[in-house]
Amino acid sequence: MIESLFPNVDWENMWEATLETLYMTAMSTFFTFVIGLVLGIVLFLTAPKQLWANSIVNWLTGAFVNIFRSIPFIILIILLIPFTKFLIGTIRGPNAALPALIIGAAPFYARMVLIALKEIDKGVIEAARSMGATTWTIIRKVLLPESKPALLSGITVTAIALVGYTAMAGIIGAGGLGTLAFLDGFQRSREDVTLMATILILVIVFAIQFIGDWMTTRSDKR
Amino acid sequence: MIELKKLSKVFDTGKGSLTAVDHVDLSIGAGEIFGIIGYSGAGKSTLIRLLNGLEKPSDGSVVINGQNITAIKGNDLRKARQKVSMIFQHFNLLWSRTVKENIEFPLEIAGVPKSKRDARVLELVELVGLKGRENAYPSQLSGGQKQRVGIARALANEPEVLLCDEATSALDPQTTDSILELLVDINKRLGLTIVLITHEMHVIRKICHRVAVMEGGRVVELGDVLNVFQSPKEEITKRFVAQVTDTEDSQETIKNLRKLYPTGELVKLVFVGDQTEQPILTQLIRKYPVDVNIVQGNIAHTQRGAYGTLILQMKGSAQEISEALTYLNAESVQTEVMSND
């Protein structure tokens, strides 16, 4: 039945491509989370009247975030080719896609982190200061736990965007379902391959959304 | 215990400077419950934040227990803050932590080992009357319960001073009373010095020993709560006192009373402390041939004794009334004939 609906699909290739997409998404989401979190916290704490108020650092971080957030992803990949070659040694395959994916998504997530941190009641931070907390303690025990639901829903949105980015990266040979849909499906006019790749991407997106929503709800004690 | 010397705080707003606290000198004793009252914008909120270094003064100094809070920073300041803790109008609990974990937070900051933390939290939960609610999240608590967690949290590191920033302003009257009782209780039990700021004279009346009235960044009146109630000097203080005693002697009120009681003299009596427990009226009526009719009365209890006002209609000859008043004054009851004009 399935064989007759998708006559041209090579299931082994399809499975491998799915794993590559999952690998790229997982790795880039992880690094985006870490780097975006650091950037977001720096943006928050260096803003005027905050604990590390520093207009120069704030301006530089803000500029970096805004520039990389604004460059269209497909152009960013091309711009980063020399950097990728230097870092990974090649510009083909899932690992080669990671620098562009992370540099494209981390600033985006940094903005979401900043918004999440701004939502925290200033009084709670003041209370922690009044107890003699260090800034490091405030980050670890106040800022992160108190913004957890927003940080989780933000990374969910970012991870879903990253699934889309991996497909785009696939066009220039990153591998994964994007490459498969483009080379096997589009260029050889095998619509069933494109369709199957699309279905698998949708499944991945829905799974991420489901897990993300579940974690967000569970972490919210408000 | 707490010495404020020429303390000032000037804020730089975009359009110039704003003096929030203006050369305040105060001396607060150990174990005292000291109230600072003022309307919003009077600078009391800034003043209380100068006490634990959350705000840096523009001038002057704060010395708590021999330590100059305004001169230290970094680790020394953080250590000092563990001994000068604070509770807040909006409680400022971490919603992501349970009651138990919220109370544990300052202990974690102070580096108390886990095994000791548990025992201490249990003690505190009991002290503030939240036994059985340890594992609830703040969102599951009422306002009063949240403030109890705030108090337990503030007491965790055995502070010497407790600062209360409008601690009852977000609570209903009944809950306010129960929180105030808790504060008096811990003041007595732990010998803790309490400094509170409020805009409600009710709070001052109920628990404070002394009060400072703030207006425009300055302390305009300072004294024993009972004295301030008995003879407020400044206009603003009189308004605050009227909040609780309810006997506004505005011309309007006097006119209305006169309309209701057209004959005789209207006399306002002010009793303080022990006199509120003496049968002075009975004595008066027995000794002097005046007719007495009670128009309005009120007694307010403060930590330093009771304070009462009574408005009487007195009928009799001018001579008799004057003699009656002399007797009252001799019993050190303040009297004031409320004139008609």
Side-chain angles (χ1 to χ4, degrees):
Chain A
M1 157 83 173
I2 289 181
E3 303 290 320
S4 62
L5 272 175
F6 300 96
N8 302 312
V9 173
D10 177 335
W11 295 101
E12 211 159 296
N13 275 349
M14 191 61 82
W15 178 238
E16 204 169 297
T18 308
L19 288 183
E20 279 174 358
T21 295
L22 285 175
Y23 171 79
M24 284 189 284
T25 309
M27 290 295 281
S28 60
T29 301
F30 173 77
F31 285 107
T32 296
F33 179 72
V34 174
I35 296 169
L37 208 54
V38 171
L39 286 175
I41 290 170
V42 169
L43 273 178
F44 178 74
L45 288 179
T46 56
K49 290 186 184 168
Q50 293 294 348
L51 292 169
W52 287 343
N54 183 326
S55 52
I56 298 170
V57 176
N58 191 253
W59 188 86
L60 285 175
T61 319
F64 173 82
V65 164
N66 282 337
I67 289 169
F68 282 94
R69 204 166 50 116
S70 310
I71 301 173
F73 184 66
I74 196 82
I75 296 172
L76 186 69
I77 299 176
I78 297 163
L79 283 174
L80 286 176
I81 283 176
F83 178 69
T84 305
K85 202 159 188 179
F86 166 75
L87 206 69
I88 313 287
T90 172
I91 58 158
R92 302 192 64 80
N95 278 326
L98 293 180
L101 289 173
I102 295 161
I103 291 170
F108 178 71
Y109 185 55
R111 279 280 155 199
M112 289 193 182
V113 172
L114 179 63
I115 293 167
L117 296 178
K118 277 184 176 169
E119 289 288 305
I120 298 174
D121 184 359
K122 285 184 192 67
V124 181
I125 300 171
E126 185 178 50
R129 287 180 64 210
S130 82
M131 290 175 218
T134 59
T135 305
W136 175 236
T137 304
I138 292 176
I139 293 172
R140 250 175 356 120
K141 300 199 166 189
V142 180
L143 297 185
L144 295 182
E146 292 286 298
S147 61
K148 203 163 152 198
L151 294 179
L152 286 174
S153 66
I155 199 63
T156 307
V157 174
T158 311
I160 288 168
L162 277 167
V163 174
Y165 286 180
T166 65
M168 260 190 262
I171 310 282
I172 63 152
L177 291 165
T179 303
L180 195 73
F182 183 66
L183 294 181
D184 255 29
F186 174 70
Q187 292 199 325
R188 295 159 87 175
S189 299
R190 292 166 167 174
E191 278 78 17
D192 58 331
V193 175
T194 311
L195 183 64
M196 195 63 221
T198 311
I199 291 172
L200 287 171
I201 284 175
L202 285 179
V203 170
I204 293 173
V205 168
F206 290 153
I208 292 172
Q209 186 72 61
F210 180 80
I211 296 167
D213 286 351
W214 178 75
M215 288 200 299
T216 304
T217 318
R218 219 184 54 136
S219 68
D220 201 343
K221 309 288 186 193
R222 276 171 292 193
Chain B
M1 178 75 197
I2 304 177
E3 296 285 338
L4 310 189
K5 286 207 182 84
K6 292 201 174 58
L7 195 62
S8 293
K9 175 72 183 180
V10 181
F11 284 109
D12 218 7
T13 62
K15 293 174 191 161
S17 60
L18 177 91
T19 309
V21 175
D22 192 1
H23 292 88
V24 169
D25 287 292
L26 275 180
S27 170
I28 300 168
E32 192 174 9
I33 304 184
F34 189 89
I36 298 167
I37 191 165
Y39 292 111
S40 48
K44 53 193 197 304
S45 197
T46 308
L47 182 67
I48 204 166
R49 279 165 177 73
L50 287 165
L51 296 184
N52 60 358
L54 283 177
E55 295 280 2
K56 288 272 151 219
S58 311
D59 197 16
S61 67
V62 177
V63 176
I64 298 181
N65 232 352
Q67 190 173 32
N68 189 343
I69 297 288
T70 39
I72 55 173
K73 49 184 163 188
N75 218 22
D76 291 339
L77 179 57
R78 284 193 288 270
K79 274 265 167 330
R81 279 177 181 162
Q82 288 169 11
K83 294 293 166 199
V84 186
S85 58
M86 193 167 186
I87 59 173
F88 304 87
Q89 178 175 10
H90 298 294
F91 326 124
N92 296 352
L93 304 178
L94 294 153
W95 61 255
S96 57
R97 287 175 169 237
T98 60
V99 167
K100 184 174 163 292
E101 291 164 342
N102 263 294
I103 301 172
E104 217 178 336
F105 188 35
L107 297 168
E108 290 169 23
I109 291 171
V112 178
K114 177 76 185 154
S115 54
K116 282 189 185 164
R117 293 206 297 257
D118 286 342
R120 179 78 184 129
V121 168
L122 217 68
E123 249 175 69
L124 290 161
V125 164
E126 212 147 308
L127 176 71
V128 300
L130 281 176
K131 208 157 176 247
R133 301 294 277 151
E134 296 93 328
N135 295 315
Y137 282 93
S139 62
Q140 296 164 316
L141 302 177
S142 68
Q145 288 174 324
K146 284 182 196 165
Q147 197 57 288
R148 283 169 190 273
V149 179
I151 292 171
R153 182 175 74 171
L155 296 178
N157 283 321
E158 294 171 338
E160 289 148 358
V161 179
L162 178 66
L163 307 174
C164 308
D165 176 17
E166 298 269 7
T168 56
S169 300
L171 302 173
D172 63 61
Q174 261 169 356
T175 318
T176 295
D177 283 352
S178 78
I179 292 293
L180 293 179
E181 274 158 29
L182 176 62
L183 288 177
V184 172
D185 182 48
I186 56 180
N187 164 261
K188 285 189 181 141
R189 243 202 278 185
L190 310 174
L192 197 69
T193 308
I194 298 180
V195 180
L196 62 87
I197 61 170
T198 183
H199 60 265
E200 295 169 315
M201 202 58 179
H202 168 75
V203 172
I204 302 283
R205 192 215 86 202
K206 199 115 198 241
I207 74 168
C208 291
H209 302 143
R210 285 198 302 150
V211 60
V213 183
M214 273 190 92
E215 193 178 24
R218 300 208 332 276
V219 171
V220 293
E221 191 157 351
L222 171 73
D224 237 66
V225 168
L226 209 49
N227 290 339
V228 170
F229 267 84
Q230 187 187 359
S231 46
K233 290 178 187 68
E234 298 291 321
E235 202 43 52
I236 180 173
T237 316
K238 285 179 187 159
R239 264 187 289 157
F240 278 124
V241 170
Q243 265 184 20
V244 233
T245 54
D246 216 37
T247 47
E248 286 180 65
D249 25 323
S250 64
Q251 287 300 321
E252 198 64 22
T253 330
I254 297 171
K255 242 181 231 164
N256 283 336
L257 284 176
R258 279 257 62 130
K259 237 179 252 163
L260 286 168
Y261 303 94
T263 56
E265 289 286 3
L266 281 181
V267 183
K268 182 178 155 191
L269 313 184
V270 178
F271 309 78
V272 177
D274 293 342
Q275 294 138 14
T276 53
E277 285 147 32
Q278 302 301 318
I280 288 170
L281 272 192
T282 319
Q283 300 288 345
L284 175 79
I285 298 161
R286 283 196 191 133
K287 285 186 181 163
Y288 300 92
V290 287
D291 284 327
V292 167
N293 188 12
I294 296 175
V295 174
Q296 199 182 78
N298 180 295
I299 287 187
H301 291 275
T302 75
Q303 287 296 314
R304 292 278 166 91
Y307 159 86
T309 56
L310 193 60
I311 298 180
L312 300 178
Q313 180 193 28
M314 271 192 207
K315 288 183 197 164
S317 71
Q319 168 81 28
E320 284 160 357
I321 288 174
S322 146
E323 276 171 8
L325 294 182
T326 315
Y327 163 74
L328 287 170
N329 289 336
E331 294 289 318
S332 54
V333 171
Q334 279 182 26
T335 57
E336 184 191 335
V337 177
M338 301 167 92
S339 54
N340 221 351
D341 30 64

